[in-house]
Each structure stands twice: as structure tokens, then as C-alpha cells.
Amino acid sequence: MAGAAKRSTEGSSESAATEASPKISGGNLVAKALKNEGVEAIFTLCGGHIIDIYDGCLNEGIKIVDVRHEQVAAHAADGYWRVTGKTGCAVVTAGPGTTDAMTGVANAFRAESAMLLIGGQGPLSQHRMGSLQDLPHVDMMQPITKFAATVSSTERIADMVSMAFRECYNGAPGPSFLEIPRDVLDARIDPARARVPAAHHYRASTKSAGDPRDVERLADLLVKSARPCVLLGTQVWSCRAGAAAIEFCRQLNIPAYMNGAARGTFAPGDPHHFHQTRGYAFEKADTIVIIGTPFDFRMGYGRRLRADATVVQIDLDYRTVGKNRDISLGIVGDAGAILSAATQAASGRVDNGARRRDGWLSELREQENKSAEAMRSRLLSDASPIHPLRLAHEINQFLTENTIFIGDGGDVVTFSGGVIQPKSPGHWMDPGPLGTLGVGTPFAMAAKLARPEKEVVCLFGDGAFGLTGWDFETCVRYGLPFIGVVGNNSHMNQIRYGQTAKYGKARGEVANYLGDVHFEQFARMLGGHGEEVREAKDIGPALRRARESGKCALINVWIDPDVYAPGTMNQTMYK
Ligand SMILES: Cc1ncc(C[n+]2csc(CCOP(=O)(O)OP(=O)(O)O)c2C)c(N)n1
Ligand SMILES: [Mg+2]
């Protein structure tokens, strides 16, 4: 407080309004709380209700990134958290600004991303009178956030912002929402009347290691197991538990599968990295350890795990453990703390059984090689129009250890999931279980902003790109170059497949045609690099030219609209 009062009398970096008085405005209190949380940038689209927050951000040295659609602001906040581990923040105006951002909040909710959305609101003095852009935001946000509240006094602003941050980390991470009425935000108060929780002093560590007896049981189960496997889920990345997971799998000699943000924990080629044989392993394993991922549709709600397997589930959220499928052992806590403790516990055993499992790993490796072989000819296909698997293969070859890969699309991304392997931990971003199209451009923006030294490559469907693609311009404007590849089949193909399979061609080709859009021209129009590719052999050189351009780039790759990924043909996602 004293600091705020002192700076405002010195005045050099403050706005004229602040210079006149030692008082502090609500927007400046928001910024102080953001700063204490470690927020370095907000993503926003302006509106009269929220402008005082910008004034505060200028004073606190928080970067303001202004985008063209509020959905983008919210996805970028989600992406910022994923890349940095610091809580993301988006600031949007009342009414349509907040409803536009809802999809991004919903995505963060299902993907377990910690972010705060701050929405404007009409003045409290006009509460329920029909003020401009008034909507019941808190009611609307409640089911898709961990915490949603109105700030009803200026004195409480920083306290409520800190509270919202704390709530983001209750159990598995997730989004919080605060609305701040305009008169509450604009009011200027004596700083001594405001509570501003101090950095690092308003929330506890979440790194709990579970009950030590359960950790011993986990070690026992694994030491005795002949055919174990682990699935490393998104929380392995969000807990930054990669090193602990690697140590655990290596010491105990357990094959690892990775999903969501945990992809890349093991580098491709590592003896414990497995990818193609997850279904086979889940069928044959005697012990399956599921870490930081729910039994949702991606695992057939747990039905894809052998019925009589010993199943251990580890999760930050008590409510996730044992949901949809019975388990043998559940442990609630931080993936890294629990895996380190289990490795430690197993190291005390006379024989941890590691060598007895060599045969099991060889069996899985053989299966992996078989499925790679079965896919080989399509990966290298010279077909024209281009086969989506060839596009995925070319991108996979292009990625380096320094490339963050983002997938944003339907069938083209489903195809790529089996082929594209991130080379490092934390270098894979997909929407998560909400399956939200349109995350690509905002994720690329956030990734490049937070980690300018990284290369960012995003594979888009032509449908997905259209949802948020105008913010390619924001990336150009802020100097955040990334390489976008549009797998262009002129359709919403993933849906088209299901429609034509069910209704036949005449009735199935409805509401899924997008036209032949020249995205390379769109990129050029906005000041980026753009190229189109029609032959498979030209994909690699085009990718390299995009890299060399150093600009925001879009490579428009015309792919075959009449081939579909096996997952799409089985309609696996609905089963
Ligand atoms: C925001 C949103 N709207 C609609 C859907 C439903 N959906 C899933 S895949 C898909 C088709 C996407 O088309 P495109 O991005 O071109 O990829 P393609 O399937 O053609 O490869 C649609 C519309 C969704 N997941 N998210
Ligand atoms: Mg498409």
C-alpha cells in the first residue's frame, strides 16, 4: 500500500488521473493482484467497462495483448498457463465480451488449465436496471469454472482476485471468473482500506504426496507385476512431473504411454516411450497406472482397460479417482511427488522386478514396429491430392526439440495424432477433452509470447482455422511468428464422414462444405508469409521456407477430402 501511495505522488509513470491524488483505483488494484500472482501479460479485447484495468497494467508493467475476438483472449490465457505454468489471465468487457470468452473458459475447464477471466459489468448503482451489456455472467459461468463471483466493493478487488487465483488450484487446476462492476472498478479509494494479499503468501503448495501407506502399496503392486504399463496424462505436465515420471518408469522398467499435454515426456526413440500399442497394452497388462487423466471418452470411460487388471489411479482431483471405472488403488495428489515417493519406496526392495519385465517391453516394441510398418506406405504416399498421413509425416520430420506443436482441426488432426511426436516435454498442445476447434491461433500466440525462443508449428483444419484465424493478424502485429499449416480439404471432414455414412451422399453432404479457400493469400494480406502446396514432395521445402521467412506463415496444403482417419471411421469419440 505504502508503495502504491508513494509512486502515485512521484507520478512519473502514472496516468494524469492518478497523479492528482494519493488514492488508488480499482483497475490498479486488479493489476497489483495480477502482478502478485506472477501474471506478465493479459489477453484482452477492449470495452468501456474494463479500461481502468489497462491503466493498472501500465503502472505495474504487465503487457497488454489486444486480440480481435474474446474467445481468442480466453484460449490464449489457457495456452499461456500450459506453456509457463503461471496462471493465465484474460480481460473482457461485459455482455457479449464475456459470452464470447465463454468457449475459452469452458475449454480450460475440461482441459484443467488455471486461468482467470475478468469480465466487466454494468455499474452496481444500475444493478438489474437494464444497463448496457448487462447479463447474469456469474450464473452463466458457474458450471464451467471452479469459482465465479462478483466483486462488490473496490476495497475487496485485490483480495477477490487473489481468491480467484487460489480457487484455480483447488484439486485439479481450472478457470475462475470474476466480474467487476464498472463503478467498483473505477472508484478511487484510500490504499490503506484495500487488502492486497502479498505475493507467495495467499495460497498453499499443491504438491501433496498422498498417504505414504498407499505409496508403499503402489510400489508393492509394481514390484510384483509382470506386465505393467502407465499412462502419463496431462497432469504430468501441469505438475511438471516429467523427470519423476521418467525416473519411475526407468527404475521399474515400465512402458509409458502419454496423452494430452504429457506427450513428449519421453522423447521418441526412448526405450520406455510407447505410442501405437496403447489398446494392446491395456488389453494385456496385469497392472495399469493411470496418472493425471480422467476415465473419459478418450478411454471409453475406463472400459478399454482389461476388466481384471489391477488399476491404480493418481490424480490431483479427488472426484476424478474411481469415476466411471472401479480401481484397485487411488491416490490423490501431485503426480511428481507421488511418483518420486513410489520410486523411492521400490528402491528399498531386494528385487524391484525390472529385468523380469524385459520380455513384456520387447513384446510391445514388436507390436509398435508392426503398426509402424503397416502405416509406412501411406506416410510416404506420393498421391495427389495429398494423403493427410503424408502431411503429418512431413510435419513430424520437420519438428525439432525446440518446436512446440499445436493441433487444431478435425480429421486432419486425428490423422496426425498417430504420427506427429513432440520431441520434448511440454511441446504438444491440443484443445483437450472439450475438442474445441479454434484453439490454434490463440495457443500459438500465447506460446510464442511466453517462449519467444521456441519455434511454434500449428496444424489446422480449414474449418478450425476459420473460427479464430483473424488473430493471425494479432500475431503479425505483436511480432509473434509461427508456422501454420492448413490441411485443406474444403470441408468439415470429420463430421462429413459421419453424415455420409449415416444418410448417404445426397443427404450427407449438407452443412459441411467450406469452399476452396486460399489461406496463403489471407496470410499475405495480413503481412505474413503464405504458400500453397499441391504435391507431397513440395511440403518439406515449403515448411523450410516458412521457417526461414521468420514471419507468421500459413502453408495451405490441399489434401484429399475423400480419405478419413480410422478413429473417425469407427466414430470412436462417440462410443
Ligand atoms: C467449436 C467447435 N465447433 C464444432 C465442432 C465439431 N467438429 C468437430 S470436427 C469438425 C470438422 C472440422 O473441420 P476441419 O477443421 O476442416 O478439419 P477436417 O475434419 O476437415 O480435417 C467439427 C465441425 C467442434 N469440435 N468445435
Ligand atoms: Mg477440413
Side-chain angles (χ1 to χ4, degrees), residues 461-463 487-493 514:
D462 52 322
N488 195 345
N489 49 25
S490 309
H491 289 88
M492 301 279 194
N493 236 23
L514 291 164

Side-chain angles (χ1 to χ4, degrees), residues 499-520:
Q499 289 177 273
T500 50
K502 189 169 177 193
Y503 300 103
K505 201 166 160 59
R507 286 182 165 262
E509 300 264 356
V510 172
N512 52 40
Y513 177 58
L514 291 164
D516 297 341
V517 177
H518 283 268
F519 293 97
E520 74 286 359

